[in-house]
């Protein structure tokens, strides 16, 4: 399904132009309009899925392989030292566009700085509780 009111549906299917690194039957990979680093890209499925929880499994199974292909090309072509894959689900997690997308963010020696979380601590009792709370829903 493609939605008329979704900017990423429009970009993925070519009705709004975007700098495109790659395209096939299922995906378009574009440069992010507000890049965190030089070459920051987004993998967009051509069909509309709100987030990872709604993503078709067969489409989802192709995402990591495509990210690896783009990441390898970034290392060779842009000379980045590495890259991060970032994928936000839900507003609380920072998702601003409600069409599944995977960020591929090149990382260069010396920058850019990326937000990192402060490690907390885990105790055995709470870990057991968490295991119960999640596995009850699998
Ligand atoms: P999110 O925060 O939802 O994970 O990421 C959305 C990303 O989409 C942001 O990094 C933002 O810069 C990018 N973005 C939003 N609108 C557009 C657009 O119209 N074109 C492109 N190329 N990127 C966009
Ligand atoms: Zn969409």
């Amino acid at each position: 399904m493609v939605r008329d009111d979704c900017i990423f549906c429009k970009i993925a299917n070519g009705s709004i132009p975007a700098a495109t690194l790659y395209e096939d039957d299922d995906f378009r990979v574009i440069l992010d309009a507000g890049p965190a680093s030089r070459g920051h890209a987004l993998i967009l499925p051509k069909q509309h899925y709100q987030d990872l929880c709604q993503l078709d499994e067969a489409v989802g199974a192709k995402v990591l392989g495509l990210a690896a292909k783009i990441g390898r090309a970034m290392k060779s072509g842009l000379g980045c030292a590495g890259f991060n894959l970032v994928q936000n689900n839900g507003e609380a997690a920072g998702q601003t566009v409600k069409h599944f997308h995977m960020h591929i963010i090149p990382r260069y020696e010396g920058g850019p700085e990326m937000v990192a979380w402060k490690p907390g601590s885990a105790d055995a009792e709470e870990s057991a509780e968490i295991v119960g709370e999640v596995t009850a829903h699998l």
Side-chain angles (χ1 to χ4, degrees):
M1 190 238 319
V2 171
R3 287 181 60 142
D4 288 345
D5 60 349
C6 173
I7 179 114
F8 279 3
C9 279
K10 289 182 178 158
I11 291 174
N13 291 284
S15 60
I16 294 181
T20 296
L21 297 178
Y22 175 86
E23 183 183 5
D24 63 21
D25 288 346
D26 297 312
F27 300 100
R28 181 185 295 269
V29 182
I30 62 166
L31 292 181
D32 194 293
S37 69
R38 185 168 189 270
H40 180 169
L42 302 170
I43 296 177
L44 310 180
K46 290 188 172 179
Q47 296 291 308
H48 183 87
Y49 309 102
Q50 178 168 317
D51 59 19
L52 180 63
C53 299
Q54 309 227 322
L55 185 64
D56 177 81
E57 271 194 37
V59 174
K62 297 177 184 171
V63 172
L64 270 190
L66 178 52
K69 182 185 179 77
I70 302 295
R72 280 192 293 267
M74 286 172 164
K75 287 170 73 171
S76 301
L78 302 177
C80 58
F83 58 91
N84 292 105
L85 301 181
V86 176
Q87 202 278 304
N88 299 326
N89 297 283
E91 277 177 29
Q95 184 179 10
T96 58
V97 181
K98 307 288 169 50
H99 174 124
F100 172 92
H101 52 279
M102 172 86 79
H103 297 257
I104 309 171
I105 304 176
R107 300 294 294 276
Y108 299 89
E109 296 296 353
E113 289 290 317
M114 296 279 287
V115 176
W117 63 81
K118 259 207 213 125
S121 56
D123 71 64
E125 199 180 320
E126 203 192 356
S127 294
E129 227 174 82
I130 294 166
V131 168
E133 287 164 1
V134 177
T135 55
H137 298 275
L138 292 177

